[in-house]
Amino acid sequence: MEKNKAPLMELLPLFLAENVPARGPEEEDIDELTYELPETGCDPALPGEGLARHTMLYVGENDNRIRLIHDGKIAWSYDTGKGWELDDIAMLLNGNVLFTHMYWCAEVTPDKKRVWYYKVPEGAEIHSMQPIGLDRVILYLSAKQPKIMIINKKTNEVEYERNVPYDPEMNVHGQSRRMRLTDDNTILIGFMDLHKVVEYDLELNEIWSYETERPWSVERLANGNTLITEEALGKVIEVNKQGEIVWEFSHSEIPAEYGFMGSQGCTRLSNGNTILCSMGDNGKLPQMIEVTPDKKVVWVVEDWKNLGPCTWVQLLTEPVAASYYKENIL
């Protein structure tokens, strides 16, 4: 498949087509969220262009509505039903959308038909997954014996399964929020309760690790460094292979008039800027900020009329991971 710098942007017409229903057959009612702040849109005094700055998929763990933001508005949405929690999302190269919902994960089409569904075993959770081509998905199964699995969505066959080294006496819910298959076919996992990030080969042999208090989000950058959201310490750090912090940005460096706390997901853009996602203290603070390499805040989103909390965003204007173009990694 030929690579494109921003292939997902070409799929927007699928979501905007006249045949897209207001509600899909598997959509379920959600708890409508209410907040103490007045229901206003983005404050024009805030840096950036409000919701018009980026086209993205947007999810938050306290909210069960997937949103596609385009041209400054919600262009498409999908209600996943009540219960916890939306943590990860990815648009495929055919326009389908993969997402995790803690006790299950699913794939839906732009016209809101559910074409794949996986329910986790009793006592397990799923918070992170990544597409491999169109037919496969790699996921981290949080459990007493956690696993990395590759599932063929067409056959529902588990094609790969490896046990992740972990103490079975530790809490399942606090294991991990982010696993990523790198472009080098290694597996990067942020272990929250183990206080470290670990990179494994495909046989789950450790290659590299970095100790930190509570890593929520992990992302391997094009320069080989690793971007980590430190949820407990209130900062984002970029760490090289030698374990040295080469860049960091603390919430305390954000101008006080904007306010920000509780960053979960973070992602590095191809222009070098970094977007931080936040629960926004449930209606009291911004949901997203964008900061330049020299730590200038250039975008702040505080919009509790149109959005809920923010756990993760996928910028559709950005390149996709190498795994999107692979049929398999085995």
Side-chain angles (χ1 to χ4, degrees):
M1 188 178 294
E2 185 178 354
K3 295 185 179 181
N4 181 314
K5 287 186 177 180
L8 303 182
M9 286 296 290
E10 297 183 358
L11 303 171
L12 282 178
L14 299 176
F15 295 85
L16 307 177
E18 291 183 359
N19 68 324
V20 176
R23 191 171 181 83
E26 287 86 21
E27 282 192 82
E28 299 181 24
D29 291 339
I30 64 172
D31 291 319
E32 293 289 346
L33 301 180
T34 58
Y35 304 99
E36 296 177 7
L37 292 181
E39 287 197 351
T40 56
C42 284
D43 184 345
L46 293 173
E49 300 84 37
L51 297 185
R53 184 175 179 89
H54 294 293
T55 296
M56 71 187 91
L57 282 172
Y58 178 109
V59 291
E61 74 169 44
N62 256 1
D63 188 13
N64 287 319
R65 177 168 291 155
I66 298 169
R67 295 169 175 87
L68 193 160
I69 300 169
H70 178 60
D71 279 349
K73 60 181 182 294
I74 309 302
W76 181 91
S77 66
Y78 186 88
D79 289 350
T80 62
K82 299 177 182 180
W84 291 76
E85 66 190 46
L86 284 168
D87 278 324
D88 206 359
I89 194 162
M91 185 184 295
L92 307 184
L93 292 177
N94 58 6
N96 291 358
V97 175
L98 271 173
F99 61 92
T100 64
H101 202 279
M102 197 158 96
Y103 298 121
W104 53 275
C105 53
E107 178 180 341
V108 298
T109 64
D111 60 353
K112 302 188 177 184
K113 295 184 178 74
R114 192 164 71 190
V115 293
W116 180 71
Y117 176 87
Y118 172 75
K119 183 173 176 59
V120 302
E122 186 72 26
E125 299 179 5
I126 177 170
H127 300 275
S128 187
M129 43 94 254
Q130 184 175 336
I132 300 175
L134 295 177
D135 296 337
R136 292 170 176 81
V137 60
I138 185 169
L139 58 87
Y140 178 100
L141 187 71
S142 296
K144 288 298 182 182
Q145 175 54 74
K147 300 176 185 293
I148 300 294
M149 302 166 62
I150 295 176
I151 299 176
N152 185 315
K153 294 175 293 167
K154 282 195 169 182
T155 65
N156 275 325
E157 179 185 356
V158 176
E159 298 184 343
Y160 166 99
E161 182 176 307
R162 298 292 186 276
N163 290 337
V164 177
Y166 206 84
D167 183 350
E169 299 303 315
M170 295 189 71
N171 179 272
V172 168
H173 188 66
Q175 283 182 13
S176 178
R177 289 297 177 273
R178 194 57 82 236
M179 173 279 307
R180 285 293 180 256
L181 178 69
T182 75
D183 289 356
D184 295 322
N185 286 348
T186 63
I187 296 169
L188 196 64
I189 304 175
F191 292 108
M192 297 192 299
D193 285 354
L194 290 181
H195 316 297
K196 62 181 180 179
V197 177
V198 182
E199 181 179 7
Y200 298 99
D201 65 19
L202 291 180
E203 293 304 317
L204 275 292
N205 299 305
E206 184 175 318
I207 300 172
W208 175 84
S209 68
Y210 178 79
E211 294 186 3
T212 187
E213 184 62 28
R214 191 171 174 83
W216 196 101
S217 180
V218 294
E219 178 177 311
R220 178 56 48 83
L221 303 177
N223 61 10
N225 296 342
T226 302
L227 189 68
I228 304 168
T229 303
E230 236 308 340
E231 186 179 28
L233 302 179
K235 62 171 63 175
V236 174
I237 56 177
E238 179 183 342
V239 180
N240 65 18
K241 285 288 190 179
Q242 291 72 46
E244 301 164 333
I245 297 176
V246 298
W247 183 83
E248 65 180 308
F249 181 75
S250 172
H251 296 172
S252 63
E253 299 177 79
I254 300 171
E257 63 266 30
Y258 305 145
F260 196 77
M261 67 173 291
S263 180
Q264 293 183 319
C266 71
T267 188
R268 176 67 52 80
L269 307 184
S270 52
N271 65 3
N273 291 357
T274 303
I275 289 180
L276 284 67
C277 306
S278 173
M279 298 289 287
D281 199 16
N282 290 320
K284 299 181 178 66
L285 295 170
Q287 296 113 314
M288 290 182 287
I289 67 167
E290 180 179 342
V291 59
T292 65
D294 60 358
K295 303 187 179 183
K296 180 182 178 181
V297 175
V298 293
W299 185 51
V300 179
V301 170
E302 185 174 359
D303 186 344
W304 295 97
K305 176 182 179 181
N306 296 299
L307 306 176
C310 185
T311 293
W312 185 249
V313 292
Q314 182 187 28
L315 278 290
L316 305 187
T317 49
E318 292 293 306
V320 297
S323 69
Y324 275 69
Y325 296 98
K326 297 177 180 178
E327 292 304 314
N328 207 344
I329 65 168
L330 304 178

